[in-house]
């Protein structure tokens, strides 16, 4: 089978790219390793995604938001504080003149909705369960060997997009080097019910042992993303529910009244992965395959969707005039993405390092920073715009 575009990985990034191009005239296939039932019940689907306002605008453009909006909760304010210190600041949708700073949705709801849209799109062929096991490019095409339902299958593409996540096999098969840093931290993810309503406020609380985010979901419920050193997270996940909630309450405080655990606790080890290059001959990698970030600033999918939107727009234009797999075209795409990528990675990394540090001078500096930020509307707007993905 010959395709114009083969996307490896039917996660958020891969599926959104296919849907963005479904009416482009390109012949598109998606190769996805996991069967749908497995994906829909996997623990990783429990994580809450904070979607920036810019991400929601992009999903609306793709007609992927309107039918799932009911499952999302708007963020009207972001409250940022530093436990045990004086610094705090608040970002507000009203001040920024927007309807919401962002939205929170359970990853599984969004992933399922988007995967359903792929299934009903006539122009997209889905190979599932299938894995790519070999890639070889020449001047005109990429030759791909797949393992599809235990059978071997060969297909070709003018361009292969690797959207197969942090452990990307496309990245490995293309021999693209990666920078990997282990933060030595693990994100504990769960849901709590609070006695006071959250009033659509997202809380980001920095503590000496790592950041804690409480993201608003239905009126009294909040999704928890609690980053701890890995050995502490391991012990917290084994603690009884009572001990766990006691420690969470101690860390977060009583702004929302008493917290009760309302979902299982899940652990996600955290690392930063950045591919040395986003491109190779007749191939490009996007989303987590190209950059896997710490969830502290909630930027991972937001950044991945910006890869998708830029690539989709460029592919539509290139398809009208030239070869979608040409080296010049791919280099152009990669150049365009570098600034956003570097800025988002540095922003996220800076937050991880500045706010996980109890060195007195740094603690003082960040608290002065937060206090100053609270008084400087322009600086707050700049931070809000980064958070909104604008
Ligand atoms: C705890 C936590 C909280 C987060 N919070 C936020 C947040 O608030 N906001 C935000 O924007 N982001 C957040 N993220 C990041 C976000 O979840 C990811 O950036 C996003 O899901 C990545 O999407 P993706 O499609 O690039 O990769 P993935 O979701 O990893 O999808 C990859 C797909 O490829 C498939 N695949 C893998 N290998 C192969 C293969 N060899 N062949 C074929 N298919 C393959 C997989 O089955 C999967 O379907 C968070 C992440 C974590 C862990």
């Amino acid at each position: 089978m010959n395709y114009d575009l083969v996307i490896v990985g039917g996660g958020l990034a891969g599926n959104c790219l296919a849907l963005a191009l479904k009416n482009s005239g390109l012949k598109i296939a998606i190769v996805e390793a996991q069967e749908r039932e497995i994906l829909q019940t996997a623990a990783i689907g429990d994580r809450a995604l904070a979607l920036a306002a810019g991400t929601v605008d992009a999903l609306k453009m793709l007609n992927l938001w309107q039918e799932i909006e009911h499952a999302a909760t708007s963020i009207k304010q972001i409250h940022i504080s530093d436990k045990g210190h004086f610094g705090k600041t608040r970002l507000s949708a009203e001040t920024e003149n927007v309807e919401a700073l962002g939205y929170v949705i359970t990853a599984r709801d969004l992933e399922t909705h988007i995967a359903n849209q792929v299934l009903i799109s006539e122009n997209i062929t889905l190979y599932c369960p299938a894995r790519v096991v070999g890639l070889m490019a020449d001047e005109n095409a990429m030759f791909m060997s797949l393992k599809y339902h235990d059978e071997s299958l060969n297909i070709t593409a003018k361009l292969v997009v690797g959207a197969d996540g942090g452990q990307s096999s496309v990245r490995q098969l293309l021999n693209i080097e990666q920078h990997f840093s282990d933060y030595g931290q693990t994100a504990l993810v769960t849901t709590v019910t609070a006695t006071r309503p959250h009033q659509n406020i997202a809380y980001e609380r920095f503590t000496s042992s790592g950041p804690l985010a409480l993201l608003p979901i239905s009126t009294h419920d909040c999704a928890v993303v609690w980053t701890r050193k890995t050995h502490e997270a391991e012990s917290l996940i084994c603690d009884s529910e009572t001990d766990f909630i006691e420690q969470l309450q101690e860390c977060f405080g009583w702004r929302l009244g008493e917290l009760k655990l309302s979902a299982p606790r899940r652990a996600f080890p955290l690392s930063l992965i950045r591919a040395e290059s986003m491109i190779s001959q007749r191939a490009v990698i996007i989303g987590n395959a190209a950059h896997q970030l710490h969830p502290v600033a909630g930027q991972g999918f937001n950044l991945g969707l910006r890869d998708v939107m830029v690539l989709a727009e460029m592919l539509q234009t290139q398809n009208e005039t030239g070869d979608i797999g040409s080296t010049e075209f791919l280099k152009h795409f990669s150049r365009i993405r570098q600034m956003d990528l570097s800025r988002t990675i540095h922003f996220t990394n800076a937050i991880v390092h500045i706010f996980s540090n109890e060195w007195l001078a740094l603690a003082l500096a960040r608290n002065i920073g937060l206090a100053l930020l609270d008084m400087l509307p322009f600086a707050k707007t700049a931070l809000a715009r980064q958070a909104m993905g604008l």
Side-chain angles (χ1 to χ4, degrees):
M1 264 301 198
N2 304 323
Y3 293 94
D4 294 314
L5 179 67
V6 174
I7 300 166
V8 182
L12 287 173
N15 282 345
C16 284
L17 180 66
L19 290 166
L21 291 166
K22 68 177 180 187
N23 297 322
S24 63
L26 290 168
K27 195 171 171 196
I28 302 173
I30 297 179
V31 176
E32 167 56 46
Q34 294 287 354
E35 287 191 69
R36 217 174 135 71
E37 299 68 39
I38 297 177
L39 274 181
Q40 279 176 355
T41 49
I44 191 155
D46 286 350
R47 74 199 185 282
L49 295 177
L51 303 181
T55 297
V56 171
D57 289 345
L59 291 173
K60 279 183 189 159
M61 267 174 62
L62 301 178
N63 282 324
L64 292 175
W65 184 248
Q66 292 76 348
E67 284 175 34
I68 192 74
E69 191 174 1
H70 64 91
T73 305
S74 60
I75 300 176
K76 301 283 187 195
Q77 288 184 22
I78 303 177
H79 183 281
I80 307 169
S81 60
D82 196 354
K83 183 173 182 273
H85 299 281
F86 60 87
K88 61 167 88 64
T89 192
R90 222 177 248 264
L91 307 177
S92 124
E94 203 183 341
T95 316
E96 300 308 323
N97 236 337
V98 290
E99 205 186 311
L101 292 170
Y103 292 82
V104 184
I105 191 164
T106 305
R108 182 176 295 105
D109 289 344
L110 187 65
E111 285 168 344
T112 305
H113 172 62
I114 291 176
N116 286 344
Q117 301 310 303
V118 167
L119 280 185
I120 58 172
S121 291
E122 284 169 9
N123 307 341
I124 306 169
T125 305
L126 179 63
Y127 292 99
C128 180
R131 284 179 176 278
V132 54
V133 289
L135 288 176
M136 206 182 71
D138 75 7
E139 273 167 28
N140 303 311
M142 176 71 91
F143 298 86
M144 307 178 66
S145 310
L146 308 185
K147 191 105 188 143
Y148 178 39
H149 283 294
D150 293 332
E151 303 272 311
S152 295
L153 180 71
N154 294 321
I155 61 174
T156 70
K158 286 187 192 150
L159 177 67
V160 169
V161 176
D164 50 346
Q167 304 305 316
S168 171
S169 29
V170 172
R171 189 179 65 218
Q172 287 162 33
L173 288 166
L174 296 170
N175 287 322
I176 297 178
E177 294 290 322
Q178 62 175 34
H179 299 286
F180 175 88
S181 5
D182 186 352
Y183 288 114
Q185 296 178 336
T186 292
L188 290 171
V189 170
T190 187
T191 305
V192 290
T193 306
T195 48
R196 289 196 202 132
H198 51 60
Q199 297 176 306
N200 297 72
I201 302 174
Y203 292 91
E204 184 77 66
R205 189 152 172 75
F206 295 100
T207 78
S208 55
S209 50
L212 166 64
L214 260 71
L215 306 171
I217 43 179
S218 63
T219 36
H220 284 261
D221 286 358
C222 290
V224 175
V225 184
W226 194 8
T227 306
R228 298 294 299 249
K229 292 190 183 87
T230 295
H231 67 274
E232 293 169 357
E234 279 162 4
S235 122
L236 275 165
I237 215 150
C238 297
D239 277 349
S240 69
E241 287 194 3
T242 319
D243 286 352
F244 175 82
I245 208 78
E246 227 172 64
Q247 295 183 65
L248 183 67
Q249 185 90 59
E250 199 276 318
C251 191
F252 179 69
W254 293 85
R255 281 186 186 84
L256 290 175
E258 194 179 342
L259 305 175
K260 280 212 171 76
L261 204 59
S262 48
R265 289 162 274 178
R266 314 274 193 206
F268 299 94
L270 301 175
S271 54
L272 168 70
I273 299 176
R274 182 175 182 175
E276 212 156 67
S277 166
M278 285 182 93
I279 58 170
S280 180
Q281 193 181 6
R282 293 206 167 266
V284 53
I285 52 174
I286 59 166
N288 270 27
H291 42 73
Q292 181 180 283
L293 309 186
H294 194 298
V296 64
Q299 300 274 326
F301 170 57
N302 294 305
L303 180 63
L305 191 62
R306 297 202 289 276
D307 293 343
V308 167
M309 298 307 281
V310 173
L311 184 58
E313 196 184 331
M314 289 180 67
L315 279 172
Q316 306 225 40
T317 314
Q318 179 71 7
N319 189 36
E320 285 160 16
T321 53
D323 175 4
I324 61 165
S326 82
T327 306
E328 267 323 296
F329 169 70
L330 296 179
K331 278 188 180 161
H332 186 39
F333 166 73
S334 168
R335 267 196 308 274
I336 287 183
R337 289 304 296 140
Q338 288 318 304
M339 205 214 268
D340 182 20
L341 225 99
S342 297
R343 195 180 45 207
T344 308
I345 290 176
H346 288 140
F347 172 72
T348 303
N349 247 342
I351 292 184
V352 176
H353 290 117
I354 295 172
F355 284 97
S356 304
N357 202 316
E358 272 311 276
W359 186 43
L360 191 62
L362 193 56
L364 192 64
R366 76 173 175 241
N367 275 275
I368 293 171
L370 277 179
L372 274 177
L373 189 65
D374 205 46
M375 291 185 282
L376 295 171
F378 292 126
K380 266 175 83 153
T381 296
L383 182 64
R385 288 184 67 80
Q386 177 72 37
M388 286 189 280
L390 298 176

